[in-house]
Amino acid sequence: MHHPDPAPRPHHPVRVLRHVWIPMRDGVRLAARVWLPEDVTEPQPAILEYIPYRKNDGTASRDVTLHGAFARAGYAALRVDCRGSGDSEGVMLDEYHQDELDDAVDILAWLEQQEWCDGNVAMIGKSWGGFNGLQVAAMNPPQLKAVVTVCSTDDRYHDDVHYQGGAVLASEMLPWAATMLCYNARPQDPEVYGDAWREEWFARMARTPSYLDTWLGHQRRDAYWRHGSVIENPEAITAAVLTVGGWADPYRGAVRRLLGELTSPAKGLIGPWAHTYPHQAEPGPAMDFIGECLRWFGRYLRGEDTGADRLPALRAWMPDPAPFGSDSEERPGRWVVEEELPSPHIHAREFALRGTAALPPEQAGAPGAQPAAQLRSPLAVGAAAGNVLQFGDLAGRPGDQSADDGRSHTFTSAPLTERLEILGEPEVELTVSADRPRAQLAVRLCEVTPDGASRLVTTGLLNLTHRDSHAEPQPLEPGRQYRVTVPLFLTGHAFAAGSRVRVSVSASYWPWMWPSPEPVTVTVLPEGGTLRLPERPADPARDGEPTALPTPDPPAALDVTEVPATRTVRWDPVAREQVVEMTFSDGTTVDLTDGLTRTETELNRFRIREDDPASPVVECERTDAISRGSWDTEVRTYSRMTSTVDDFHVTNRLVALEGGREVFTRSWETTIPRDEV
């Protein structure tokens, strides 16, 4: 089935306003960079990206690929640093704080008054900017007509970097809080802000909070998480929403949910990518994402017949089977389409989980004929998982699951007699009991190839105290049996003929999931466990959505030196201790027009002894050096998180240097009670 291709786009010369101040209602000024089509005199619709990552240096190389391209196509394009970030004034008190959303409404009103803007605006963003685009749309400002939200969510508790299934995400929560602590402590640029930059820098460092204290202070899905979760009132959104995700990105489930929730025009797109924009996709193939955006903007900002409203509800990449490790750079496959969701073409295919087998229901036999499985999981299970939040680098991707499978309880099918394609959210239903009031489950769906390799397809976590409610968790009654359902991340996957389907279950999963507070045994009972797969039979009449390749990025006067991420796993058999260590870096970016230079590094360390729930330690080190000529600054942060049976303990240290000399230091510690986790 053919759907409209993006129309050929014009190529206007571009004029860049490098620094523009936008006044807010309380007198605070936000810093913006604006791209305009230079040869257009009449006002045009505007595209806004609104994030806290520094327009001058943090995302400068990426910004031009979006906003430079939009201006070349005839739109005004705007990159604004949130309050308390980059050159913008104020302090950023939290993610998606009401100040941030109110500021966005002020930006939209300001845009409407600019001579180069016709008052019709779209918001675009990946991750943070994808979140706040939806949240601002739920406030229904009159200027906002369209949203392109990439790798974001409608539910901040359900699938962000804080909790998953009610479990604390050890691999993400402190690392992200540590990153934002460092980011928020960076100085304004003296060439933009003027002589008062240093006073403002010190005030910002003195006031910036550790977000972790707030996030850990809300371990249930309460009013804090409902704020900014547009699932609470999706009917409030009237803007047209293009929602985009990737199979290697943890927010992908929001694409399907938004398509079911929104009453405004909405379409979905899911590729093979990680937490990246699709025109810069890793793993590939990348696509002409700029063209997709222009088709959306043309229809909903300019009223043009671009065909955006006639697109299928969902276009998704269906990966072909490939030898493990052969598709690290690009996943073979094809585009598939669903004209509506729920799709009449997707049906549940069940496997009965008995003993160590995953069986067709007709072969299952009586549930009680199989023995129970006792899960006394080593706490170090999970090192092959890769990252929850992946950016496409090899270091963050999952490895062969065989070793973790061997330390988990597994249910494995017979070899498949034909290819099996799934598109949707698998789920596993089990009957369990535990010998402690707090326990957790990690469930993995894997494809076991004939050579014995185990490829991770998708994963689900469940804190068993949250089995009935994330808002009102209840402790387990030791020894009592509970029927629980563990939903897994949305996925598109093709199991090859000859491969086997495997479900792996463990009571720990480090470093994704912070361990239960005490040693615990979870018993999986033989009471009719079930795996449900969303089977989607291939149909050439419905598949094969054409997608153009990316066009070259607009030129930019930037020199970017990239540094690959690393991941090491060390095991001490004497101490029975595992250390997972990861390094990341934005590398070094130099603006060739003015010499502004930024170098950033991150290190995360996850330490655990496999028999001691009191042993987990997460440590995060960050450095961010920004300079130009004799102006030379550096921010360093160190964050650490540990726990006892009753509490979490967090330590933060912030140090700033100027010209290589320490000029500011601040340290603090926090104790936060555990709440059924």
Side-chain angles (χ1 to χ4, degrees):
M1 179 175 293
H2 180 77
H3 295 277
D5 291 322
R9 52 185 181 261
H11 293 279
H12 297 276
V14 175
R15 175 168 62 105
V16 181
L17 310 179
R18 290 175 60 84
H19 307 296
V20 175
W21 290 113
I22 304 177
M24 298 291 103
R25 64 209 167 277
D26 57 357
V28 166
R29 299 178 302 168
L30 302 189
R33 181 167 291 182
V34 181
W35 291 257
L36 299 172
E38 191 169 32
D39 58 349
V40 176
T41 57
E42 63 273 15
Q44 299 296 320
I47 316 301
L48 167 64
E49 186 177 21
Y50 172 52
I51 51 179
Y53 303 136
R54 297 180 61 95
K55 64 178 175 56
N56 294 357
D57 44 56
T59 59
S61 61
R62 187 185 79 188
D63 293 344
V64 72
T65 71
L66 285 176
H67 305 295
F70 295 153
R72 289 177 71 189
Y75 291 87
L78 198 73
R79 240 296 271 121
V80 179
D81 283 334
C82 296
R83 177 185 295 245
S85 70
D87 296 319
S88 293
E89 296 176 335
V91 175
M92 180 175 286
L93 298 175
D94 197 0
E95 298 175 315
Y96 323 120
H97 192 277
Q98 191 60 47
D99 282 348
E100 176 183 335
L101 306 185
D102 291 341
D103 287 349
V105 174
D106 288 351
I107 295 168
L108 294 172
W110 177 86
L111 271 171
E112 190 174 23
Q113 300 303 313
Q114 304 311 300
E115 62 180 10
W116 38 262
C117 177
D118 70 2
N120 295 301
V121 183
M123 291 185 71
I124 187 172
K126 176 184 74 72
S127 197
W128 195 302
F131 276 63
N132 65 24
L134 290 172
Q135 294 165 7
V136 174
M139 299 171 73
N140 205 16
Q143 304 85 1
L144 187 60
K145 304 299 196 302
V147 171
V148 177
T149 181
V150 181
C151 300
S152 72
T153 189
D154 57 338
D155 189 334
R156 295 180 56 214
Y157 188 85
H158 185 276
D159 49 8
D160 201 1
V161 295
H162 316 99
Y163 299 91
Q164 188 62 236
V168 173
L169 281 178
S171 64
E172 310 302 326
M173 188 186 288
L174 181 68
W176 183 234
T179 295
M180 288 309 301
L181 178 62
C182 184
Y183 280 6
N184 291 343
R186 297 176 294 188
Q188 291 94 336
D189 185 342
E191 288 198 2
V192 176
Y193 199 80
D195 293 339
W197 75 270
R198 196 171 188 272
E199 179 183 354
E200 287 297 310
W201 182 30
F202 276 67
R204 180 178 288 182
M205 290 189 291
R207 294 177 58 197
T208 190
S210 167
Y211 295 169
L212 187 74
D213 297 350
T214 300
W215 300 340
L216 272 179
H218 296 273
Q219 294 164 37
R220 310 178 180 208
R221 192 181 186 280
D222 56 13
Y224 173 80
W225 299 110
R226 292 195 295 272
H227 165 78
S229 293
V230 299
I231 193 174
E232 296 294 313
N233 186 20
E235 297 83 3
I237 296 177
T238 60
V241 177
L242 177 62
T243 173
V244 183
W247 292 135
D249 181 71
Y251 300 107
R252 58 193 184 263
V255 174
R256 182 198 58 76
R257 293 197 303 271
L258 283 166
L259 294 178
E261 296 160 3
L262 294 176
T263 55
S264 62
K267 304 293 182 183
L269 177 68
I270 305 178
W273 323 298
H275 199 68
T276 58
Y277 273 120
H279 63 299
Q280 301 173 319
E282 294 184 52
M287 64 173 291
D288 181 18
F289 178 62
I290 303 301
E292 292 290 336
C293 293
L294 293 176
R295 173 158 57 180
W296 201 253
F297 300 151
R299 172 66 182 86
Y300 294 106
L301 294 184
R302 287 188 165 140
E304 300 169 349
D305 183 12
T306 65
D309 53 339
R310 299 190 299 277
L311 289 169
L314 176 67
R315 291 169 291 161
W317 185 256
M318 180 61 70
D320 283 333
F324 186 80
S326 68
D327 55 355
S328 57
E329 295 185 3
E330 188 162 303
R331 298 205 68 176
R334 72 190 195 283
W335 288 99
V336 302
V337 303
E338 291 296 342
E339 295 292 340
E340 59 179 317
L341 290 178
S343 169
H345 310 294
I346 299 174
H347 304 281
R349 178 167 174 178
E350 293 191 353
F351 289 82
L353 306 179
R354 302 286 189 270
T356 59
L359 301 168
E362 65 272 12
Q363 299 178 16
Q370 304 293 333
Q374 303 284 332
L375 302 181
R376 300 182 184 90
S377 300
L379 298 183
V381 170
N387 294 346
V388 176
L389 186 59
Q390 299 179 41
F391 290 88
D393 51 86
L394 292 175
R397 298 185 198 173
D400 189 329
Q401 301 294 295
S402 299
D404 281 344
D405 289 352
R407 308 180 87 194
S408 308
H409 184 75
T410 59
F411 305 92
T412 307
S413 75
L416 298 171
T417 58
E418 57 185 14
R419 176 171 169 142
L420 169 60
E421 294 190 4
I422 61 173
L423 181 63
E425 287 181 314
E427 65 178 26
V428 172
E429 190 174 352
L430 299 168
T431 302
V432 301
S433 66
D435 63 351
R436 293 289 187 273
R438 288 178 280 184
Q440 303 180 108
L441 283 180
V443 177
R444 289 175 289 122
L445 176 66
C446 300
E447 177 181 5
V448 183
T449 54
D451 62 1
S454 179
R455 177 194 285 271
L456 184 62
V457 176
T458 186
T459 309
L461 307 180
L462 179 62
N463 177 355
L464 290 172
T465 67
H466 287 236
R467 62 198 176 274
D468 296 322
S469 170
H470 292 310
E472 299 182 2
Q474 297 294 324
L476 299 164
E477 181 183 331
R480 179 181 171 183
Q481 296 183 13
Y482 298 92
R483 189 71 171 173
V484 298
T485 299
V486 183
L488 311 185
F489 283 111
L490 184 82
T491 192
H493 185 79
F495 294 85
S499 289
R500 292 172 290 161
V501 176
R502 173 173 289 170
V503 173
S504 296
V505 185
S506 58
S508 59
Y509 202 54
W510 178 263
W512 278 33
M513 188 166 66
W514 199 275
S516 301
E518 299 177 278
V520 59
T521 298
V522 176
T523 301
V524 179
L525 293 114
E527 305 301 327
T530 303
L531 164 67
R532 296 185 184 91
L533 296 180
E535 183 176 10
R536 180 191 185 278
D539 183 349
R542 293 185 293 111
D543 295 349
E545 165 73 5
T547 305
L549 295 175
T551 54
D553 290 336
L558 298 166
D559 180 34
V560 180
T561 302
E562 297 182 350
V563 178
T566 68
R567 180 185 182 94
T568 60
V569 181
R570 300 193 302 273
W571 171 250
D572 182 340
V574 177
R576 299 179 69 188
E577 182 180 69
Q578 174 188 275
V579 179
V580 179
E581 192 167 279
M582 305 193 66
T583 65
F584 307 88
S585 177
D586 285 348
T588 298
T589 299
V590 181
D591 189 326
L592 301 178
T593 63
D594 65 0
L596 183 66
T597 301
R598 174 183 179 245
T599 301
E600 182 260 7
T601 63
E602 301 184 13
L603 182 148
N604 297 330
R605 184 181 299 111
F606 308 95
R607 186 185 304 272
I608 198 166
R609 291 195 303 274
E610 70 172 11
D611 57 349
D612 183 2
S615 68
V617 180
V618 179
E619 296 174 294
C620 303
E621 300 174 18
R622 304 287 186 265
T623 65
D624 214 309
I626 303 171
S627 63
R628 181 194 293 106
S630 61
W631 178 64
D632 180 10
T633 69
E634 183 175 345
V635 173
R636 301 174 183 172
T637 63
Y638 171 82
S639 301
R640 186 174 190 267
M641 179 173 168
T642 61
S643 67
T644 63
V645 170
D646 298 316
D647 300 302
F648 293 104
H649 300 280
V650 182
T651 300
N652 286 290
R653 183 168 68 246
L654 167 62
V655 177
L657 296 89
E658 192 175 0
R661 181 175 62 88
E662 186 174 309
V663 294
F664 180 93
T665 184
R666 176 183 165 206
S667 299
W668 64 103
E669 297 183 0
T670 311
T671 296
I672 299 163
R674 299 178 75 143
D675 180 11
E676 301 300 343
V677 299

